[in-house]
Every structure is written in structure tokens, then in C-alpha cells.
Amino acid sequence: MIGEAALTEALDTLRHSFRAWLSAEAPQDWRATCTTHDGFLATQRAWFAKLAAGGYAVPHWPAEWPGGGRSLAEQKVIYEELARADTPRLLLSFMSTYHAASTLLEWGSAEQQARYLPRILEGEIWCQGFSEPNAGSDLANVRTRAERRGDVYVVSGQKLWSTMGQFADMCLLLVRTSSEGAKQAGLTYLLLDLKAPGVTARPIHQIHGDEEFAELFLDEVEVPVANRLGAEGQGWAVAQSTLSSERGLTLLELSARMRGALWRIADLIHNGGRGDDVGLLRDFGRLATKIDATCALADQFLANRIAGEERVGDASLVKLSYSRTLRDFTAFGLRLGGLRSQYHDPIVYGGGMETGNWMADFMNSYAWTIAGGSDEVQRNIIAERLLGMPREPRTWTLEPSA
């Protein structure tokens, strides 16, 4: 086993070499080019290709894949340096390299892995087709139907909130193949080619101007049975693997990026001539402390995972702290920016939630109180799984008002 001193030295070596690589390869003007969708797509594809060629795109993949086999501690170093260098977040390929890859690695056949994983490394874009109208994120209520006819499933229905769905090539699709028995038992997991006849992807225009999500309409779409992950009726279990991939190191990177963006608020205080406003500085200090606490929680979460001491619910602590602190961060920026910050300015596509476009950042921050499990869900998990409090009643109903 490698000693602590040797491990520290190895991580320092990785940090210095990756930092040097970033200084030469990281895009410098990406915020200016990402004000259009074409610019965003070109920047994301070029940056992912550079990272893949450099061996930094998929450090969480197994060692037999180029750039894979990195330890959690090494992945943390890579995320920290990406945040420090203020590089674009890989929003376009995030679903491909995490959700799709992890599900294929756990449930895919050798043929499926050999077919799809190299294409992901070459830049193929995947999205997720789980949520539906009237079902939200309650997977047990999925209604999109798939009927097996020989060697294909014929799929009809609608999916909602598919991140980057309008740009994607493939989709992780959860469908209902049976209405018998428990709802969960009737679900099946398919890999859908979004260029197949009968597929329509329509972007969803969001309140702050972005179109990060799409809705997918499926009309008698044929999906080969060979594109099924797991057995028919095993979709619930496969979907849990997909969702668990969200609980990786993403929050560590996001927290580091928020701390790195504190300078935007410091600049507003300085340039606004409010450097001697004691009350404002006190609030700024509280905000900085909350951000540091969120980063510390993320660090502790990773340390627990490395030590094999992670508890169910630990990730919820980090997620809840991040979503609440991000709201405070963007609200503080909006407050300092005054009336000018409330104008609707063009956004930077893929720029995250700390771009300095305070109105857009503030509205976008609400997404993190829902995405990946709402704050209410996280509080339930913390209460029930970490604090051992009684479970929420499952049978209560609202009494009609008199």
C-alpha cells in the first residue's frame, strides 16, 4: 500500500503537471464565444476533445480506458484544477461520460460496451429520458409505452426535462412494458437512437434565457431489442444505477467554482465604493464562511468515501448546503448590482451559475433546489437516514376543506 507521504507527493505531481497542461490548453475566450448555441456547441466539443486527448476527460472510468483508472483523490485534484482555471463545465458531455458510461459499465453486455463507450470518448452526446408530464421524477409512474414486436420495441410517449436532449445523439430511455403487478416491475430500460424515425426533440425555453432542457416526443419509434439494458422488466434497477452516478464528485467541483467566483462580489464591493460599509462587509464575511463550509462538507464527503465510511445521506448534506449557499451567493450579487443587475442581459450558455450575470444566475440557482432531488427530498433523507427520525407517513391524505 502506498504511504501517506508518497501519496501526497504523487498528488502534488499530478496537480502541477495538470496545471501546466491547462495553462497551455485551456480555452481562454470561451465566455465570449458561448453567447450563441453554435458557439457553445463548438466550444464544448473542442474542449472535450482536448481533455480526452490529454487523458483527463474520463478519470472515473476503469483503467483499461484512455485516461481512466484515477483514484478519487486524483479525480478531486483534476476537478479542483479545472475550477481554478475557470474552464467551461462539460455540460454537453456530462450525461454521456457519467450517466451513460456508468450504466453501460454495470449493465451493458460486452458488445454494448464495445459499441458505445468508444463513441462516447469520441464525443457522442447522450441525454436521459426518465421524467414525464404528470409523473415528474417519480419513475414508478412512467407511462411511455413500449410493445415488443419481434426484434424491436415500438415506443410511444413523451419525455420531459431531458438535459441537452435537443443536441443529443442517444438517449437513456425508461419505458413501461407491463402494467401488471408493482409499478416498478413493469419498467424496461432501452438505448434510443434519437435520429430514429418518429423522434421529435423540442427545446424548453427557460426563464433566464437558456435552453438547457428538451422534451422528447416518441411516435411509434422502433428500438432494437439488442438496445435493451438488463432484462425486460428490470428497468427500475438499471435506472437506480444511472441515478447513483449523479452522486459523484460534481458537487465538489461546483463548490470550488463558487468559492473561486467570490472575486466577482469582492469587485462589486470595491468598484461600488462600499469598502467601508461595515454591515455589507459583515454579510460578505458570512457568505464567504458559508461557501467555505460547503467546500469543507464536500471535502469531508470525499474523505469518507475514500475511507469506505460514506453513509447513506452524506451526499444529501452536501447537495442541500450547496443549493442553499448558491441561492445566497447569487442573491448577494443581485443586491450589490442594484437596478442594472436586474436588466435582462444575454447569458453565457454553459457558463454555470456564477457568471456575474446576476439576474440570470439568481434565477438559475433555483434549478439546483430541484435538480438531482429537491431540497425537501434531501431533508427527508437526512432526517430519516442520518438522524434516525421516524419515516414520513406514506398513507396520509389531505382532508377536503369544509
Side-chain angles (χ1 to χ4, degrees), residues 238-253:
V238 184
Q240 299 310 306
S241 297
T242 303
L243 295 174
S244 68
S245 70
E246 292 182 351
R247 303 171 190 133
L249 302 178
T250 304
L251 287 168
L252 190 147
E253 179 194 3

Side-chain angles (χ1 to χ4, degrees), residues 53-209:
Y56 299 110
V58 289
H60 54 293
W61 284 23
E64 59 264 34
W65 293 95
R70 297 284 192 182
S71 69
L72 285 171
E74 289 175 321
Q75 293 175 49
K76 177 176 182 284
V77 168
I78 290 173
Y79 275 123
E80 287 175 340
E81 290 304 311
L82 287 170
R84 188 197 62 81
D86 190 32
T87 58
R89 288 198 66 221
L90 290 173
L91 296 178
L92 192 63
S93 53
F94 183 81
M95 198 68 70
S96 314
T97 58
Y98 281 87
H99 297 64
S102 66
T103 312
L104 283 163
L105 287 167
E106 183 168 352
W107 290 91
S109 65
E111 291 77 11
Q112 288 170 329
Q113 292 178 9
R115 180 180 183 187
Y116 291 113
L117 291 175
R119 286 161 49 171
I120 289 175
L121 266 181
E122 292 168 1
E124 186 172 73
I125 305 304
W126 289 59
C127 68
Q128 184 172 295
F130 285 8
S131 296
E132 295 187 2
N134 302 317
S137 56
D138 184 356
L139 301 186
N141 282 329
V142 161
R143 295 180 179 178
T144 294
R145 298 284 308 180
E147 179 185 349
R148 181 164 179 173
R149 299 178 188 170
D151 293 333
V152 300
Y153 287 98
V154 179
V155 183
S156 293
Q158 182 185 353
K159 295 294 179 178
L160 200 61
W161 306 120
S162 294
T163 305
M164 300 289 152
Q166 67 271 45
F167 307 124
D169 306 295
M170 296 288 296
C171 177
L172 303 169
L173 187 69
L174 196 60
V175 296
R176 180 161 299 285
T177 47
S178 172
S179 299
E180 302 295 325
K183 291 181 180 179
Q184 292 86 344
L187 298 176
T188 297
Y189 201 107
L190 302 175
L191 308 177
L192 168 65
D193 183 347
L194 289 172
K195 296 180 180 62
V199 177
T200 302
R202 189 163 66 192
I204 299 173
H205 192 71
Q206 296 163 249
I207 188 172
H208 64 298

Side-chain angles (χ1 to χ4, degrees), residues 19 21 40 61 82 88 107 111 137 306 310 348:
R19 188 173 293 183
W21 186 89
F40 164 70
W61 284 23
L82 287 170
W107 290 91
E111 291 77 11
S137 56
I306 292 173
E310 180 185 351
V348 177

Side-chain angles (χ1 to χ4, degrees), residues 50 100 362:
K50 273 192 174 181
F362 178 67

Side-chain angles (χ1 to χ4, degrees), residues 251-252 255 294 297-298 301 313-323:
L251 287 168
L252 190 147
S255 302
T294 301
L297 274 175
F301 167 72
D314 281 348
S316 294
L317 284 173
V318 187
K319 167 72 166 55
L320 184 61
S321 179
Y322 174 76
S323 65

